[in-house]
Amino acid sequence: MSLLTLTDVHSYYGHIHALKGISMTVEPGEIVSLIGSNGAGKSTTLRTISGMMHPSRGQISFDGREISRMEPHTIVLAGLGHVPEGRGIFPKLTVRENLEMGAFTVKDPTLVRERMDYGCELFPRLRERLGQHGGTLSGGEQQMLAIARSLMMNPRLLMLDEPSMGLAPVLVELIFDIVKLLNDKGVTILLVEQNALMALSIAHRGYVLQNGEIVLSDTAANLRRNESVQKAYLGIN
Ligand code: ATP
């Protein structure tokens, strides 16, 4: 059984028909990448899965449960984490408080500490900055915090929206290395990226979105070799 299945999902912003019948699957253990140009509907797909918006039509099932009418906090509790575009950290709270907020339903303080330690092991930079306000972190550090915070709920599936956005190449590599490491440790990943070359270098499979529809789906290796994908998204002519 797939971990995540979208069947004919439609979403609107007012009259704007942003998703026009998305059907896709994510299998346990996979890294699946969504690629497409600006406005194709990638972020909207993640927002619709995480309950930030509800589809007007279609089904979304996660781990065998229908989630398309659930609220975001219930979906997080079911094991589906979302690191949104722009990171969504709390700028006025410290790094430690941001991480604690990530574990909002975990009552056991030992578990909260263990998970915080794990996040700081992945990103040692965060440990040095536990008392610093989130808003004063660099862009790369904020991305690290956003990922570490989403791990506080121990998700089975983690959705990442443009984790490389605005980061220097060395930090992009670090973030992608961590995404790969998390996947090796058993976290299934759904990755939205403008940096399609990087995304397809770590993904198992990918979907190409255009105008709210999936126009292509294949293994990452085949997508990298596909001429139209190379021209449109990989900067290869
Ligand atoms: P980008 O990489 O630029 O974020 P994307 O593929 O993630 O692109 P979406 O953000 O999902 O694209 O946008 C899909 C469509 O929905 C676009 O036409 C966009 O203009 C529209 N849209 C997105 N957010 C809103 C909003 N809050 N209100 C109205 N329309 C929106």
Side-chain angles (χ1 to χ4, degrees):
M1 186 180 64
S2 301
L3 185 56
L4 179 73
T5 306
L6 275 69
T7 312
D8 193 27
V9 167
H10 293 252
S11 281
Y12 285 81
Y13 295 101
H15 293 298
I16 297 171
H17 196 177
L19 301 186
K20 301 169 185 158
I22 299 288
S23 296
M24 57 179 277
T25 58
V26 180
E27 306 301 324
E30 275 191 314
I31 300 180
V32 172
S33 179
L34 286 183
I35 59 177
S37 352
N38 284 331
K42 305 178 299 294
S43 300
T44 306
T45 302
L46 298 198
R47 279 188 217 124
T48 305
I49 297 169
S50 68
M52 289 164 74
M53 54 200 285
H54 294 303
S56 62
R57 227 170 84 192
Q59 288 89 44
I60 305 175
S61 83
F62 175 66
D63 207 10
R65 288 164 77 190
E66 174 62 28
I67 60 166
S68 60
R69 298 284 132 207
M70 287 184 185
E71 293 308 313
H73 65 274
T74 316
I75 293 175
V76 172
L77 279 175
L80 209 162
H82 182 195
V83 181
E85 196 175 358
R87 289 126 202 184
I89 60 157
F90 302 106
K92 296 258 165 66
L93 299 185
T94 64
V95 168
R96 183 191 301 283
E97 289 163 342
N98 266 281
L99 291 171
E100 284 166 355
M101 292 285 282
F104 63 100
T105 56
V106 183
K107 297 278 178 280
D108 178 357
T110 313
L111 202 54
V112 174
R113 210 171 37 244
E114 275 173 18
R115 290 187 185 164
M116 202 181 285
D117 275 345
Y118 180 57
C120 292
E121 259 169 51
L122 291 176
F123 302 110
R125 203 92 74 93
L126 290 182
R127 193 185 300 284
E128 298 161 19
R129 286 164 173 74
L130 280 173
Q132 192 172 322
H133 283 154
T136 64
L137 299 176
S138 72
E141 290 160 358
Q142 290 191 11
Q143 186 62 62
M144 294 174 198
L145 176 56
I147 294 175
R149 188 180 62 179
S150 71
L151 296 176
M152 294 296 287
M153 290 298 284
N154 198 22
R156 288 187 64 198
L157 172 61
L158 187 58
M159 302 194 295
L160 298 159
D161 197 345
E162 305 271 7
S164 78
M165 186 155 33
L167 303 188
V170 54
L171 284 177
V172 174
E173 283 205 13
L174 184 135
I175 297 289
F176 274 79
D177 283 347
I178 295 291
V179 172
K180 239 173 26 197
L181 179 90
L182 290 172
N183 180 248
D184 287 343
K185 288 185 180 289
V187 185
T188 304
I189 306 279
L190 180 56
L191 175 66
V192 160
E193 260 297 336
Q194 284 278 330
N195 191 338
L197 201 57
M198 281 296 264
L200 293 178
S201 72
I202 63 165
H204 301 100
R205 286 191 303 121
Y207 290 90
V208 180
L209 259 101
Q210 213 174 294
N211 282 326
E213 291 177 278
I214 288 170
V215 292
L216 194 59
S217 100
D218 209 331
T219 62
N222 283 345
L223 289 175
R224 279 203 308 268
R225 282 194 289 265
N226 181 301
E227 266 184 41
S228 61
V229 172
Q230 289 184 347
K231 267 195 196 134
Y233 307 109
L234 306 182
I236 303 170
N237 289 305

